[in-house]
Amino acid sequence: MRVMLAEDSTLLREGLVRLLAEEGHEVVAAVGDADALLAAVEAAPPDVVVVDVRMPPTHTDEGLRAALEIRRRWPAVGVLVLSQYVEKRYATELITADTTGVGYLLKDRVAQVDEFLDALDRVGEGGAAFDPEVVRQLVVRSSKADPLSRLTPRERDVLDHMAQGHTNASIAAHLHVSQSAVEKHVNAIFDKLDLSHTTGYSRRVLAVLRYLGS
């Protein structure tokens, strides 16, 4: 894949450049601020952008706002956001706007090289990859009249993995169950969330969005 990196830490940026090159990816740009990233994407859109949330000049949310801008202007470009913390406002907007080719990982996950590369591949292929901790922190709601309270613990496990961007086959492998069992749980989730009569892939998207909240 053709990848662009935006990370103000020179050490981490160069480490990612070397890692991605060793894995056969082409790093077409590696920059240290959001403005340089947007200019690089505009000049030659890559397959995937890996962007840190907090970058110069204020080190608050420049990278995440750039990620949202890229999603808006170049929807075909996958975006994988890296963050030390969960920025709930923009993270929710990023995730609920569109779950195609988008990911959000905490930086601790980068140290788990296989998990980072798996997330990058999923985003590059048009899938989703959300850190479990990001999902957990975004799901803060009252249990009153909450249709999710009707789900069994196993169904919640399945929905949690759906929210992270896993396919049924991947969920089956993670939970050590058969794919047919996962499919039954997914159908039960659709029933309990009143999505049974919605056709197509949108049922899965709607279930995830309901899980994440607005």
Side-chain angles (χ1 to χ4, degrees):
M1 289 186 294
R2 298 174 66 256
V3 182
M4 285 186 182
L5 300 175
E7 165 62 57
D8 66 310
S9 167
T10 302
L11 183 62
L12 179 55
R13 185 172 68 245
E14 293 305 315
L16 287 172
V17 168
R18 177 172 297 183
L19 171 65
L20 294 175
E22 289 176 351
E23 292 297 320
H25 300 299
E26 180 186 1
V27 180
V28 294
V31 300
D33 63 78
D35 288 341
L37 172 64
L38 290 173
V41 174
E42 183 172 24
D47 298 312
V48 180
V49 164
V50 179
V51 55
D52 185 19
V53 167
R54 299 184 177 188
M55 290 192 293
T58 68
H59 294 278
T60 54
D61 58 8
E62 286 87 353
L64 200 42
R65 286 189 284 110
L68 289 169
E69 180 72 4
I70 291 168
R71 297 292 292 165
R72 184 182 67 81
R73 295 174 59 187
W74 300 282
V77 175
V79 173
L80 179 58
V81 173
L82 303 179
S83 179
Q84 195 70 38
Y85 311 99
V86 180
E87 307 287 349
K88 292 184 179 180
R89 175 188 170 191
Y90 289 113
T92 301
E93 183 178 349
L94 179 71
I95 292 171
T96 58
D98 186 357
T99 56
T100 301
V102 63
Y104 194 122
L105 297 182
L106 295 181
K107 283 190 174 180
D108 288 347
R109 199 69 60 181
V110 178
Q112 308 298 321
V113 174
D114 289 342
E115 293 186 32
F116 168 69
L117 293 174
D118 175 67
L120 182 69
D121 287 341
R122 276 193 276 159
V123 170
E125 292 168 359
F130 305 133
D131 194 296
E133 181 62 17
V134 172
V135 173
R136 188 190 69 78
Q137 291 195 33
L138 292 180
V139 182
V140 180
R141 54 162 59 81
S142 167
S143 62
K144 295 180 180 179
D146 182 2
L148 295 178
S149 65
R150 300 164 58 192
L151 303 182
T152 66
R154 178 58 83 187
E155 288 164 358
R156 290 188 70 95
D157 285 342
V158 170
L159 184 53
D160 180 77
H161 280 76
M162 286 169 60
Q164 294 172 42
H166 291 286
T167 62
N168 286 357
S170 178
I171 294 171
H174 277 79
L175 298 182
H176 305 290
V177 299
S178 67
Q179 188 168 337
S180 62
V182 172
E183 291 169 356
K184 290 178 181 178
H185 288 311
V186 170
N187 287 330
I189 291 167
F190 292 156
D191 287 339
K192 293 179 180 180
L193 298 184
D194 298 322
L195 299 174
S196 296
H197 301 295
T198 303
T199 59
Y201 176 77
S202 60
R203 290 187 301 175
R204 197 178 186 93
V205 174
L206 289 171
V208 170
L209 295 184
R210 189 164 298 180
Y211 182 59
L212 293 176
S214 60

